[in-house]
Amino acid sequence: MVDAPGRPQQAILDELRRVILDGSVLPGTPIPLAEVAELFGVSQIPVREALKTLIGEGLVTHRSNFGYAVAQLTPQELREMYIVRETLEAAALAAAVVNATDEDRAAVVAANEALQRAVDDDDPAAYQRHSREFHLALARPSRMHRLLRMLESAWNVTEPVQSMVHVPYADRAGLHADHAQMVEAFLAGDADRLLSLAESHAQRLNTVIGKVPTDTGLFVLPNISSAQ
């Protein structure tokens, strides 16, 4: 984490969220309250309040006698959250095509080019990062702000797993081939084709997510309670 002493609670919250979302700490990693407070040069109170917010966002868990930790999902919960993401994105796409400006279209093209570089470089961490930006770039022109906040929240819950880091190169390349077709439909203003392609992409993605290893500590076992 990066810090300057005495930062306000919002900055603490933003920094904790950042290190969780970018995969710097694995799901299940303990979050030592006293050490984090010392790092930020504050009492434990603002850190605890920031952690409460992250619990509400599904990024942190708290268990009595165990303390705070980066949240873990079961494999089934991860698949469910991908379905939530896909459903929310699909709800935004038709409006996004209609409302898209030249700037919006340029953002989609740029995000897709960044994904292509990640595929060419076989950089799974970059692919994970740019995949998120690509899909959000497609949805943002909808201007459906409440829906977009829900979509970003759903993405956040899945981010600590860093799914694309743990699947084969061929699967990332296959997903990116879908992206190229989705860009063509978006730029052509063909909402029906974009929605059809998005549905096919979601089916491929669900198959790929099923390949994420479940024996590496990324996931909690289904029969273990993750009480907040």
Side-chain angles (χ1 to χ4, degrees):
M1 291 187 290
V2 179
D3 183 52
R7 296 176 81 183
Q9 182 178 325
Q10 184 61 48
I12 295 171
L13 172 61
D14 291 343
E15 183 66 8
L16 289 173
R17 186 189 289 116
R18 182 190 67 78
V19 298
I20 293 172
L21 293 182
D22 70 10
S24 297
V25 287
L26 295 176
T29 300
I31 303 173
L33 183 62
E35 292 180 24
V36 174
E38 182 178 358
L39 172 65
F40 284 107
V42 298
S43 73
Q44 294 184 18
I45 294 174
V47 177
R48 188 178 289 112
E49 290 303 311
L51 290 170
K52 285 181 181 178
T53 298
L54 295 174
I55 289 172
E57 295 177 4
L59 296 178
V60 169
T61 58
H62 181 263
R63 296 172 62 193
S64 299
N65 302 320
F66 289 92
Y68 298 93
V70 179
Q72 287 178 295
L73 301 173
T74 67
Q76 179 60 33
E77 287 171 336
L78 181 68
R79 290 191 291 271
E80 289 172 359
M81 288 309 302
Y82 269 87
I83 292 171
V84 171
R85 279 174 30 178
E86 293 152 8
T87 301
L88 291 169
E89 181 180 311
L93 288 181
V97 169
V98 172
N99 295 333
T101 64
D102 288 344
E103 183 178 356
D104 294 325
R105 286 184 280 271
V108 169
V109 170
N112 189 58
E113 290 173 347
L115 272 172
Q116 183 63 59
R117 289 192 294 272
V119 171
D120 293 342
D121 296 341
D122 192 11
D123 186 339
Y127 186 94
Q128 172 79 32
R129 182 171 64 255
H130 293 305
S131 179
R132 174 189 176 114
E133 181 52 39
F134 172 77
H135 283 276
L136 292 177
L138 283 176
R140 284 192 189 106
S142 70
R143 315 292 188 242
M144 301 168 71
H145 300 298
R146 289 180 182 271
L147 185 151
L148 291 171
R149 285 196 294 271
M150 293 169 64
L151 177 58
E152 291 210 51
S153 294
W155 269 90
N156 287 352
V157 171
T158 63
E159 283 293 72
V161 176
Q162 296 283 292
S163 301
M164 293 298 104
V165 173
H166 305 287
V167 300
Y169 168 87
D171 288 324
R172 293 192 296 274
L175 289 167
H176 183 57
D178 293 344
H179 294 153
Q181 295 182 63
M182 293 167 71
V183 170
E184 291 179 3
F186 184 84
L187 296 180
D190 191 338
D192 289 340
R193 176 162 170 73
L194 178 58
L195 286 167
S196 177
L197 290 168
E199 182 178 359
S200 297
H201 180 69
Q203 292 171 357
R204 186 196 299 270
L205 181 57
N206 290 336
T207 299
V208 170
I209 294 307
K211 298 180 182 180
V212 176
T214 60
D215 59 352
T216 58
L218 289 171
F219 298 100
V220 65
L221 296 178
N223 62 338
I224 295 179
S225 170
S226 57
Q228 301 295 315

